Amino acid sequence: MWRLPTVLLTLALTGTGCSLISTGGDDAASPSTTNGASDTVVLVTHESFNLPKRLVRRFEDRSGLDLEVRAAGDAGQLTTKLAVTRDNPIGDVAFGVDNTFASRALEEDVFDPLEVTLPEGVEEYVVPADDGERLAPVDVGHVCVNVDSTWFAERDLDPPATLDDLADPAYEGLFVTPSALSSSPGLAFLLTTVAAYGEDWPDYWEDLLANDTLVVDGWSDAYYGDFTQGGEGGERPIVLSYDSSPAFTVPEGSDTSSTAALLDTCFRQVEYAGVLAGAANPDGGRQLVEFLLTPEVQAALPGSMYVFPVRDDVELPADWAAHAEQPDNPYVVDPDEIAANRDTWLQEWRDLVTR
């Protein structure tokens, strides 16, 4: 039986109440200025942002600016924080609003025009209603069901391959997924089922839950706690994770991953960067967005944030090229449809899971 903490439910359904974690807090002094121009650029982002220090130094050396990074929760919390502080922005640039929340940010007029030229290949990932005018795609990843290939091979059992398979009694009690209310990949999986089954998605979830699917708070709980390849004695060989995950489960001395992503179950997630309306240093913000799109930063994304670059001229690390296969036809839901229905879908999902 799974119980959702009240605080997480309130946050997910209302989109309010998130806290900002920063180097100086919301009440930190404004960036210092020289002759009226700020010598600092403030990046507001999610807590998983991890740009290598050498690249931070490179940006600072090239721009002559100091980079200050302030964390503001996950993609949903970040978007809420930006909307609430729209009239008094908490930074110059935001990175980490994804395609599940982009429409809300655009509707709230959180971002200014970018005036940044997008590199080749990036146009594929722009928000349709924006065309890259305010939000620049920076990285792409896919939330996919993953399986413990070794576990299935040892039992001479074929692993599942499709969403339908997850509800098959042959896989009863084997699947663990993070919550759609408290986890970004969990929400992505809910949207996967919406895209795959349309109005019948609640019926699919009833079948999943009847097949003893386990729902836990977050991705780390699912992957490291309950997944058999997570390293902590988990007992479930099917988990919701990412298309990149198999690149990190290659045993030493082997050229084969012990896990596999089911590429017919994937939902595309794109993360964006934009200059905040009313930013103290909009010019510095645009320089930072341009820097995030440079080949050197794009090439560092797999190793630093476990996502794929959006530029098509960046070579992937060897392990990624061999084991992190991207889906050809991932599930997608139009951002406007997500914005219009997210709260309703989450409430329906909650009612199903907590029966």
Side-chain angles (χ1 to χ4, degrees):
M1 183 177 180
W2 176 77
R3 292 176 294 177
L4 177 70
T6 302
V7 64
L8 292 176
L9 173 60
T10 301
L11 173 62
L13 292 182
T14 66
T16 61
C18 64
S19 60
L20 176 71
I21 302 172
S22 75
T23 55
D26 284 351
D27 298 323
S30 300
S32 60
T33 61
T34 303
N35 297 326
S38 175
D39 59 11
T40 298
V41 59
V42 178
L43 172 64
V44 185
T45 185
H46 53 58
E47 293 172 348
S48 299
F49 180 80
N50 181 28
L51 194 64
K53 291 181 179 179
R54 61 180 174 80
L55 292 178
V56 172
R57 289 193 299 269
R58 193 167 302 173
F59 169 76
E60 292 180 331
D61 289 343
R62 290 179 183 177
S63 66
L65 299 167
D66 293 325
L67 176 60
E68 178 182 338
V69 179
R70 297 179 180 177
D74 63 16
Q77 293 171 316
L78 171 62
T79 304
T80 296
K81 189 68 177 180
L82 296 177
V84 169
T85 61
R86 178 186 59 191
D87 295 328
N88 186 25
I90 52 178
D92 302 305
V93 178
F95 165 74
V97 173
D98 67 18
N99 52 304
T100 64
F101 290 98
S103 288
R104 182 185 179 193
L106 294 173
E107 289 171 0
E108 296 282 354
D109 291 326
V110 165
F111 295 100
D112 263 349
L114 268 179
E115 301 173 3
V116 169
T117 301
L118 300 181
E120 289 292 326
V122 178
E123 296 86 352
E124 175 184 350
Y125 304 105
V126 298
V127 179
D130 181 58
D131 289 331
E133 292 184 3
R134 287 175 290 174
L135 287 174
V138 173
D139 65 67
V140 61
H142 298 87
V143 174
C144 310
V145 176
N146 277 224
V147 297
D148 179 349
S149 306
T150 302
W151 189 95
F152 283 97
E154 289 175 347
R155 289 157 179 79
D156 197 26
L157 177 65
D158 290 333
T162 67
L163 293 173
D164 284 347
D165 289 345
L166 299 177
D168 188 314
Y171 305 107
E172 182 178 0
L174 302 185
F175 180 39
V176 57
T177 180
S179 165
L181 293 171
S182 53
S183 163
S184 177
L187 174 58
F189 185 60
L190 169 58
L191 295 174
T192 300
T193 63
V194 170
Y197 300 101
E199 294 180 356
D200 294 330
W201 72 263
D203 295 335
Y204 174 74
W205 271 95
E206 287 185 348
D207 292 341
L208 271 187
L209 296 168
N211 210 36
D212 192 23
T213 291
L214 176 64
V215 179
V216 296
D217 280 348
W219 175 84
S220 294
D221 301 308
Y223 197 92
Y224 293 114
D226 293 288
F227 186 42
T228 49
Q229 282 286 338
E232 296 183 9
E235 298 181 352
R236 295 192 175 231
I238 310 172
V239 65
L240 186 74
S241 195
Y242 297 90
D243 54 354
S244 58
S245 299
F248 298 94
T249 55
V250 180
E252 186 174 354
S254 174
D255 58 2
T256 303
S257 178
S258 60
T259 67
L262 307 184
L263 298 182
D264 288 335
T265 69
C266 301
F267 183 86
R268 174 176 285 180
Q269 281 190 314
V270 182
E271 290 188 308
Y272 302 93
V275 176
L276 294 174
N281 189 357
D283 290 338
R286 291 183 181 90
Q287 290 183 63
L288 180 56
V289 173
E290 289 179 330
F291 185 69
L292 293 174
L293 293 172
T294 58
E296 55 204 316
V297 172
Q298 291 280 297
L301 292 175
S304 62
M305 287 191 277
Y306 315 116
V307 288
F308 289 89
V310 289
R311 292 184 66 124
D312 59 11
D313 59 352
V314 173
E315 186 174 347
L316 293 174
D319 284 348
W320 280 57
H323 304 293
E325 186 179 357
Q326 296 189 79
D328 292 327
N329 297 295
Y331 289 104
V332 295
V333 179
D334 185 272
D336 289 336
E337 185 179 358
I338 295 173
N341 296 285
R342 183 190 298 109
D343 289 350
T344 299
W345 289 336
L346 284 171
Q347 184 63 59
E348 289 185 64
W349 184 89
R350 172 193 175 273
D351 292 343
L352 288 167
V353 173
T354 56
R355 265 181 202 171

